[in-house]
């Protein structure tokens, strides 16, 4: 059995998983895949989070991607990071940099973290003009300050995490120059039409010619630039990019949200992809190994338009989340299919699914991105107004 076929049938434990610790966030990014902003008052307690880490250690999960929201806003974030490290669970956390002070940077670079911690600074423009358009005023300066603090503290190989958009594809070389300046590695990820990203996808997702530009650029850099297997749909151009080149949803990856719900994919926080909750009997392991949803995702794909395509073995049909949130069938073409089949599918009859949750702030703040000021904001859910409302240290 080929390695990719082994992964398609699922593993006893995920290679890695994403864990959104909180939906609280100091920013209001226009394309936020989890529609973050306000804390859900039901989020897991410190003790419950420790129990999750204990279980991940027993399952021998290699590392966990911590995100949010802005995870460092949780008062117990640094404790949980240390707890994970002490239990041999590696931590890669994504942050907008707001809490990466010189003191915290020194801690992250210290032997206390033992090489078990990786830091990803989110930056969606190589200039403030491009970045702050989608991430909000001042967010570029905050990210650059965090990168500088990490470099000056001696933290090696931080990541600059970029969501590729129509506005920043032309800045790829500039992003790489920033990575070189701060001793970091560039990590590019794909824009998904989920969360608030669904509302801005038509404006932000790269154009077909930019998809080719991105593909050629990534081919030129090879393994020197990380992608997290975001761009396997680009393999339809010809040669595959480095990485798994496979949708790992429910097979090798999944997501735990702030209240303990487990979803098949970090980019598909929707009731249709909810596999269970780890607070029920059996914990996370029970959900991962026996969820009917995961068992279905791990079964072979036997039908659908994509399996008849000559490029299917390369692109594997593209991204499940991108299809779902644009109203396309899961066994059909990716909306950004480089052979043009997605464009044809988007022109046909389809129903865009409604979002199942929204944690956006109730009213705009000074951090609201420029592009959101031009849009009508959707109603928000019954989350706490303050990011820390109801929190008991």
């Amino acid at each position: 059995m080929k390695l990719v076929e082994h992964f398609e049938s699922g593993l006893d434990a995920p290679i890695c998983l994403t864990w959104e610790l909180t939906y609280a966030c100091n920013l209001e990014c226009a394309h936020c895949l989890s529609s973050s902003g306000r804390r859900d008052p039901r989020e897991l307690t410190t003790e419950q989070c420790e129990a999750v880490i204990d279980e991940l250690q027993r399952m021998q999960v290699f590392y966990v991607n911590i995100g949010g929201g802005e995870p460092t806003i949780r008062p117990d974030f640094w404790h949980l990071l240390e707890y994970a490290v002490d239990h041999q669970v590696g931590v890669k956390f994504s942050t907008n940099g707001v809490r990466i002070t010189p003191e915290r940077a020194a801690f992250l670079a210290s032997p206390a973290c033992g090489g078990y911690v990786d830091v990803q600074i989110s930056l969606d423009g190589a200039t403030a003009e491009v970045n702050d358009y989608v991430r909000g005023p001042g967010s570029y300066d905050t990210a650059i300050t965090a990168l500088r603090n990490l470099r000056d503290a001696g933290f090696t190989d931080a990541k600059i995490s970029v969501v590729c958009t129509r506005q920043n594809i032309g800045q790829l070389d500039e992003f790489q120059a920033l990575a070189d300046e701060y001793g970091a590695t560039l990590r590019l990820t794909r824009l998904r039409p989920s969360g608030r990203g669904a509302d801005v996808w038509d404006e932000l997702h790269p154009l077909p010619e930019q998809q080719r530009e991105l593909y050629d650029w990534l081919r030129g850099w090879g393994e020197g630039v990380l992608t997290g297997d975001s761009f396997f749909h680009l393999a339809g151009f010809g040669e595959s990019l480095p990485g798994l080149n496979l949708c790992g949803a429910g097979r090798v990856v999944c997501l735990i949200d702030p209240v303990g719900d487990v979803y098949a994919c970090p980019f598909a926080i929707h009731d249709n992809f909810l596999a269970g909750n780890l607070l029920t009997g059996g914990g996370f392991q029970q959900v991962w190994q026996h969820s009917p949803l995961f068992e279905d995702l791990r079964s072979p794909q036997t039908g659908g338009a994509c399996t008849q395509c000559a490029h299917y073995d390369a692109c594997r049909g593209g991204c499940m989340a991108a299809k779902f949130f644009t109203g396309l069938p899961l066994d059909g073409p990716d909306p950004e299919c480089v052979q043009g089949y997605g464009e044809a599918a988007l022109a046909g009859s389809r129903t865009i699914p409604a979002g199942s949750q929204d944690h956006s702030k109730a009213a705009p703040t000074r951090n609201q991105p420029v592009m959101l000021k031009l849009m009508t904001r959707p109603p928000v859910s019954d989350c706490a107004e303050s990011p820390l409302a109801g929190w008991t240290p």
Side-chain angles (χ1 to χ4, degrees), residues 152-205:
D152 293 349
F155 187 90
T156 58
D157 199 26
K159 307 299 183 292
I160 297 178
S161 184
V162 178
V163 176
C164 292
T165 67
R166 191 172 303 176
Q167 287 75 14
N168 67 25
I169 288 293
Q171 296 186 320
L172 295 175
D173 287 338
E174 294 174 68
F175 280 121
Q176 185 58 54
L178 281 173
D180 293 340
E181 179 180 354
Y182 291 102
T185 296
L186 186 59
R187 183 179 187 271
L188 304 182
T189 61
R190 183 182 178 185
L191 173 72
R192 263 77 169 198
S194 55
R196 288 197 293 269
D199 298 323
V200 300
W201 189 76
D202 285 339
E203 179 178 347
L204 292 186
H205 80 92

Side-chain angles (χ1 to χ4, degrees), residues 57-136:
Q57 181 187 28
R58 290 193 297 271
M59 294 178 68
Q60 297 183 320
V61 173
F62 184 58
Y63 68 89
V64 57
N65 289 308
I66 299 290
E70 171 53 44
T72 63
I73 282 181
R74 266 191 70 130
D76 61 354
F77 170 76
W78 301 103
H79 163 75
L80 292 174
L81 183 148
E82 290 188 71
Y83 190 89
V85 169
D86 290 343
H87 289 75
Q88 295 79 49
V89 177
V91 173
K92 297 187 177 186
F93 73 93
S94 297
T95 174
N96 57 49
V98 66
R99 296 286 175 85
I100 307 299
T101 62
E103 294 75 20
R104 289 301 186 188
F107 164 73
L108 292 166
S110 71
C113 291
Y116 273 86
V117 178
D118 195 13
V119 185
Q120 295 187 160
I121 305 296
S122 297
L123 191 68
D124 294 333
T127 58
E129 179 183 14
V130 173
N131 178 83
D132 294 2
Y133 179 69
V134 293
R135 298 189 63 82

Side-chain angles (χ1 to χ4, degrees), residues 20-297:
E20 311 285 31
L21 275 182
T22 184
Y23 287 129
C25 192
N26 58 304
L27 299 183
E28 302 172 60
C29 298
H31 57 348
C32 179
L33 64 91
S34 58
S35 297
S36 287
R38 303 191 297 172
R39 174 181 174 265
D40 191 315
R42 303 169 299 157
E43 70 184 28
L44 300 177
T45 66
T46 301
E47 292 73 22
Q48 288 171 327
C49 289
E50 290 174 348
V52 172
I53 294 169
D54 291 341
E55 186 170 16
L56 297 180
Q57 181 187 28
R58 290 193 297 271
M59 294 178 68
Q60 297 183 320
V61 173
F62 184 58
Y63 68 89
V64 57
N65 289 308
I66 299 290
E70 171 53 44
T72 63
I73 282 181
R74 266 191 70 130
D76 61 354
F77 170 76
W78 301 103
H79 163 75
L80 292 174
L81 183 148
E82 290 188 71
Y83 190 89
V85 169
D86 290 343
H87 289 75
Q88 295 79 49
V89 177
V91 173
K92 297 187 177 186
F93 73 93
S94 297
T95 174
N96 57 49
V98 66
R99 296 286 175 85
I100 307 299
T101 62
E103 294 75 20
R104 289 301 186 188
F107 164 73
L108 292 166
S110 71
C113 291
Y116 273 86
V117 178
D118 195 13
V119 185
Q120 295 187 160
I121 305 296
S122 297
L123 191 68
D124 294 333
T127 58
E129 179 183 14
V130 173
N131 178 83
D132 294 2
Y133 179 69
V134 293
R135 298 189 63 82
S139 57
Y140 178 86
D141 291 339
T142 297
I144 293 298
T145 298
L147 287 166
R148 183 181 302 114
N149 289 341
L150 289 166
R151 180 196 62 189
D152 293 349
F155 187 90
T156 58
D157 199 26
K159 307 299 183 292
I160 297 178
S161 184
V162 178
V163 176
C164 292
T165 67
R166 191 172 303 176
Q167 287 75 14
N168 67 25
I169 288 293
Q171 296 186 320
L172 295 175
D173 287 338
E174 294 174 68
F175 280 121
Q176 185 58 54
L178 281 173
D180 293 340
E181 179 180 354
Y182 291 102
T185 296
L186 186 59
R187 183 179 187 271
L188 304 182
T189 61
R190 183 182 178 185
L191 173 72
R192 263 77 169 198
S194 55
R196 288 197 293 269
D199 298 323
V200 300
W201 189 76
D202 285 339
E203 179 178 347
L204 292 186
H205 80 92
L207 297 168
E209 59 269 25
Q210 292 178 313
Q211 298 277 4
R212 182 74 206 206
E213 180 183 354
L214 173 62
Y215 173 76
D216 290 340
W217 195 88
L218 288 172
R219 286 282 298 165
W221 278 93
E223 296 183 359
V225 172
L226 305 178
T227 63
D229 298 308
S230 287
F231 302 108
F232 55 92
H233 71 293
L234 298 180
F237 279 127
E239 297 292 328
S240 295
L241 298 168
L244 184 57
N245 285 291
L246 165 75
C247 174
R251 296 161 169 163
V252 296
V253 299
C254 68
L255 175 134
I256 300 173
D257 86 346
V259 302
D261 283 339
V262 181
Y263 293 87
C265 171
F267 307 107
I269 305 175
H270 189 279
D271 290 346
N272 282 45
F273 301 101
L274 177 59
N277 188 286
L278 54 75
L279 296 180
T280 58
F284 173 74
Q285 184 170 2
Q286 173 68 24
V287 177
W288 175 260
Q289 294 183 354
H290 303 291
S291 160
L293 172 64
F294 287 175
E295 290 178 350
D296 181 59
L297 288 171

Side-chain angles (χ1 to χ4, degrees), residues 370-390:
V370 174
M371 73 177 304
L372 284 188
K373 295 178 182 179
L374 307 176
M375 300 173 60
T376 299
R377 299 298 300 278
V380 300
S381 59
D382 295 329
C383 291
E385 283 291 339
S386 167
L388 299 180

